[in-house]
Amino acid sequence: MILPIYIYGQPVLRKVSEDITADYPDLKQLISDMWETLAESEGIGLAAPQIGRDIRLVVIDLDPLAEDMPEYKGFRQVYINAHIVEYDETNTSTSEEGCLSLPAIHEKVTRPTRIRVQWMDEDFVAHDEWVEGYLARVMQHEFDHLDAKMFIDRISPLRRQLIKSKLKALTQGRYRCGYRTKPVKR
């Protein structure tokens, strides 16, 4: 089932998410719904808060980028109880980011190019690994959602001021996008 994407201003996007256990109700169906929602919205990552759930669950699909980044051919991964435990600040990169919860807003964000993450897969097998490159950026963006952050929190105060009217429009339901959304109730 395609779920609505929660838009900037929804309280769940500013709530720190909780770890879950393998007996979380209807987890397999929720993951399936998240994959379907991600595909419909043409995104590459979706965190549970973006569909109204304050749990530490993320799906990432980099396969659509395989033409330009062949190393991601077939890459689809579920991340449960994901935490970034270490940032390698030696190298950073700045790249434009967008977000399904912030339609039509794109800003340059600087992030470390290498991070250490701990997470569980769909079978609740634990993983602890260093990740680098584009996947590290996507993970940081999505895992930020689990910690009540959004990419706009990582831009300069000046840039934030310059997009203030766009953010206000989102909270007022004044936006257009090609996927199902759940705007803030007025």
Side-chain angles (χ1 to χ4, degrees), residues 91-95 97 108-114 133-134 137:
N91 290 312
T92 61
S93 74
T94 302
S95 235
E97 293 186 19
K108 291 187 176 183
V109 179
T110 301
R111 297 187 186 269
T113 57
R114 188 169 178 261
Y134 191 73
R137 173 172 293 278

Side-chain angles (χ1 to χ4, degrees), residues 6-186:
Y6 280 53
I7 298 300
Y8 175 81
Q10 285 280 4
V12 70
L13 295 172
R14 294 304 192 174
K15 186 174 181 194
V16 175
S17 298
E18 301 287 329
D19 282 352
I20 60 172
T21 58
D23 62 353
Y24 185 84
D26 301 316
L27 181 59
K28 294 283 186 204
Q29 183 61 51
L30 177 61
I31 291 169
S32 175
D33 291 347
M34 286 179 72
W35 282 125
E36 195 175 342
T37 301
L38 182 63
E40 177 69 18
S41 61
E42 298 182 357
I44 57 170
L46 184 65
Q50 293 181 275
I51 54 153
R53 304 281 184 107
D54 61 344
I55 59 172
R56 296 189 82 84
L57 173 62
V58 168
V59 295
I60 294 177
D61 181 2
L62 297 183
D63 188 62
L65 307 176
E67 192 172 304
D68 294 327
M69 298 178 191
E71 66 271 28
Y72 295 123
K73 177 100 178 110
F75 186 96
R76 283 172 49 103
Q77 184 62 57
V78 174
Y79 297 90
I80 298 172
N81 300 339
H83 295 271
I84 298 173
V85 293
E86 197 172 340
Y87 294 88
D88 179 353
E89 305 275 353
T90 311
N91 290 312
T92 61
S93 74
T94 302
S95 235
E96 191 170 271
E97 293 186 19
C99 181
L100 297 174
S101 294
L102 293 156
I105 296 179
H106 296 85
E107 291 291 329
K108 291 187 176 183
V109 179
T110 301
R111 297 187 186 269
T113 57
R114 188 169 178 261
I115 56 172
R116 183 173 156 223
V117 294
Q118 293 177 343
W119 54 282
M120 294 181 190
D121 60 28
E122 264 182 280
D123 300 316
F124 279 79
V125 173
H127 299 263
D128 184 332
E129 63 184 330
W130 282 95
V131 178
E132 52 191 270
Y134 191 73
L135 177 57
R137 173 172 293 278
V138 175
M139 285 178 151
Q140 288 173 80
H141 177 106
E142 296 305 330
F143 297 176
D144 270 356
H145 282 296
L146 306 179
D147 293 322
K149 294 184 178 98
M150 300 180 86
F151 81 86
I152 56 171
D153 300 329
R154 300 196 178 280
I155 62 177
S156 73
L158 175 60
R159 287 299 315 157
R160 182 93 187 235
Q161 188 62 35
L162 292 171
I163 64 168
K164 193 175 182 177
S165 64
K166 289 181 181 179
L167 295 173
K168 184 177 182 185
L170 291 177
T171 64
Q172 295 173 341
R174 294 185 291 118
Y175 60 89
R176 280 202 179 127
C177 60
Y179 46 88
R180 199 168 151 219
T181 63
K182 185 168 178 87
V184 177
K185 289 187 178 171
R186 293 188 263 166

